[in-house]
Amino acid sequence: MSSSDPNKLISKADKLTRLSLTRWSADWKSATLLYEQAANGFRVSKDYEKAKLAFEKASKGQEMLASPWDAAKHMESAAALAKELRNWTEVIDFYRRASELYMQCDRPQPASDSLAKAARALEDALPDDAVQLYTDACVILEDDGKEQMAFDLYRAAASIYVKLEKFTDAATFLLRLGLAADKCNARNSQCKAYLSAIIVYLYAHDLKQAEKCYNDCSQR
């Protein structure tokens, strides 16, 4: 095996993080560099399972080095590989962890983006989980006062609900988009959101809610 063999790099890195009679402290700086090299090597060779594990270890290393931003980036790489492997549970876990790490950096936008990436990956396989991820991504932006950045996320969640024929939930999300647009003085987006909600109610044959929605919107 050459010195650039990713399996050998992983083995060497693992040894650097293990304590022994001759090693009283872990060398996370050197180990993390080796994990990163191994992860890229595995990814190039399309050994996605090993690449995913190496990126997990690289993320842990960056955390130990007090670099949550780089740790989040590696966790997103692991999540993308989990998507390739169709390991949906890990897709959720890894992107959520990346989001948490970005929040440690006080960076709500990439934190929200991580959850949105997970949601998009899960739309077909686990639509209910996707909606929850979109919801959580919206909340991060709402809490940061950046509702306008969440418009596409509201629409995506509503679209999933329509596909699931959960029309009341879809309309609720569209109304939520309308309220967010109102806060941002985005009148065009607000009107489109309310009109879409009315259409959804009509499609669901809920004339009472459609009329109520129309009357509520007319008063705004």
Side-chain angles (χ1 to χ4, degrees):
M1 292 190 297
S2 69
S3 60
S4 62
D5 183 287
N7 289 292
K8 193 170 184 178
L9 294 173
I10 286 285
S11 179
K12 185 176 180 180
D14 286 342
K15 289 178 181 177
L16 291 172
T17 62
R18 283 197 293 263
L19 303 184
S20 66
L21 292 175
T22 57
R23 186 186 302 281
W24 292 10
S25 62
D27 184 356
W28 281 105
K29 185 175 182 179
S30 299
T32 300
L33 181 60
L34 293 171
Y35 286 137
E36 291 168 347
Q37 293 173 351
N40 288 321
F42 283 131
R43 184 163 58 183
V44 168
S45 64
K46 298 188 183 301
D47 190 339
Y48 294 146
E49 182 64 38
K50 287 186 177 180
K52 172 175 64 69
L53 293 171
F55 274 118
E56 283 186 78
K57 291 186 175 186
S59 179
K60 174 65 175 177
Q62 291 293 355
E63 279 194 76
M64 297 301 291
L65 295 172
S67 181
W69 176 268
D70 290 319
K73 286 292 185 183
H74 289 326
M75 194 55 70
E76 284 194 307
S77 294
L81 291 164
K83 177 187 173 183
E84 291 293 330
L85 295 165
R86 301 181 66 82
N87 190 328
W88 307 123
T89 299
E90 287 190 340
V91 169
I92 296 171
D93 291 344
F94 292 166
Y95 274 124
R96 281 200 178 280
R97 181 57 185 151
S99 180
E100 292 169 0
L101 289 164
Y102 282 129
M103 289 302 290
Q104 288 182 23
C105 306
D106 195 25
R107 297 294 297 275
Q109 180 66 60
S112 174
D113 288 345
S114 280
L115 298 182
K117 288 175 186 176
R120 282 190 289 272
L122 294 169
E123 281 190 10
D124 294 328
L126 298 171
D128 289 327
D129 290 284
V131 166
Q132 185 58 59
L133 287 159
Y134 277 130
T135 302
D136 294 343
C138 289
V139 169
I140 289 175
L141 295 174
E142 289 168 353
D143 289 346
D144 195 43
K146 294 180 179 177
E147 286 88 349
Q148 191 163 4
M149 302 297 291
F151 285 5
D152 287 341
L153 304 182
Y154 294 122
R155 295 188 188 101
S159 178
I160 293 174
Y161 275 134
V162 169
K163 290 177 183 177
L164 295 174
E165 298 187 358
K166 295 182 177 180
F167 300 116
T168 299
D169 290 327
T172 298
F173 240 96
L174 289 167
L175 292 174
R176 186 170 170 180
L177 167 57
L179 290 173
D182 185 34
K183 283 186 179 180
C184 303
N185 294 315
R187 191 64 59 191
N188 189 43
S189 293
Q190 180 186 13
C191 292
K192 285 182 177 180
Y194 288 143
L195 177 59
S196 296
I198 292 169
I199 291 172
V200 168
Y201 280 130
L202 290 173
Y203 186 82
H205 305 294
D206 192 339
L207 302 182
K208 184 176 181 180
Q209 277 300 112
E211 183 179 9
K212 182 178 183 300
C213 183
Y214 174 80
N215 291 333
D216 289 344
C217 297
S218 299
Q219 295 172 9
R220 291 185 179 276

